[in-house]
Amino acid sequence: MQIQAAVLYTPNTPFILETLTLDDPRAGEVRVKIAACGVCHSDYHLVTGTTRHPLPVVCGHEGAGVVEAVGEGVTRIQPGDHVILNWAPACGDCWYCRHDKPNLCATFTDPIWAGVMLDGTTRLHLPNGDLVYAYCGLASFADHVVVPEQSCIPIAAMSR
């Protein structure tokens, strides 16, 4: 599907609003229509180049919205659910998760900082097909995102 997103191509340059292609969710993934997005100092660190990250990137690691679609095997989330997006999900099964340190989850840490999904690929593409990375696994500076199921925290329906 075609989405609108704020893309950072180079540190110390403005974001550029782009039309991107967002792939459908794959197994274990969820597509969310963003209803709210926070802007954090961590996003600013990407803009200044203080934090290094693969570029181009859609920033934003604070968001909430409504689930539109789920991939195969998703069991906790269904279309229509209202969710908050978590940039530091936990698998519940790695050594860190089993030892009460889910913030260090070995399953998610590397892909999140690489700007990709668990399978090592990205769901975002420029019109020419080039890859676009997701900051902290969320890319919430967009009107829609695809994230791992574990990144979705169900909440009561938001009033409009």
Side-chain angles (χ1 to χ4, degrees):
M1 74 180 289
Q2 299 297 300
I3 66 165
Q4 295 293 299
V7 180
L8 179 68
Y9 287 93
T10 308
N12 298 304
T13 63
F15 288 99
I16 297 178
L17 187 61
E18 296 276 16
T19 299
L20 303 178
T21 298
L22 177 66
D23 295 341
D24 289 335
R26 296 183 187 171
E29 298 174 356
V30 176
R31 185 175 71 229
V32 177
K33 181 177 182 181
I34 296 294
C37 178
V39 179
C40 178
H41 204 227
S42 299
D43 300 303
Y44 178 70
H45 287 309
L46 288 178
V47 173
T48 64
T50 304
T51 298
R52 304 246 184 248
H53 193 277
L55 299 171
V57 64
V58 176
C59 294
H61 64 285
E62 299 174 355
V66 179
V67 174
E68 288 191 336
V70 299
E72 182 182 329
V74 172
T75 58
R76 292 185 315 102
I77 305 295
Q78 60 186 345
D81 285 353
H82 291 236
V83 295
I84 294 173
L85 300 179
N86 178 7
W87 69 269
C91 72
D93 194 44
C94 72
W95 187 91
Y96 292 107
C97 288
R98 289 190 317 266
H99 289 86
D100 297 323
K101 298 186 184 316
N103 59 309
L104 301 175
C105 178
T107 300
F108 288 97
T109 301
D110 288 342
I112 283 171
W113 290 113
V116 297
M117 300 299 281
L118 293 178
D119 66 2
T121 64
T122 179
R123 301 293 169 265
L124 297 165
H125 309 279
L126 291 166
N128 66 5
D130 287 352
L131 302 178
V132 177
Y133 297 94
Y135 184 52
C136 287
L138 298 184
S140 60
F141 285 10
D143 56 14
H144 291 79
V145 298
V146 169
V147 299
E149 176 182 17
Q150 294 88 337
S151 291
C152 295
I153 301 168
I155 59 172
M158 297 177 280
S159 58
R160 296 182 192 251

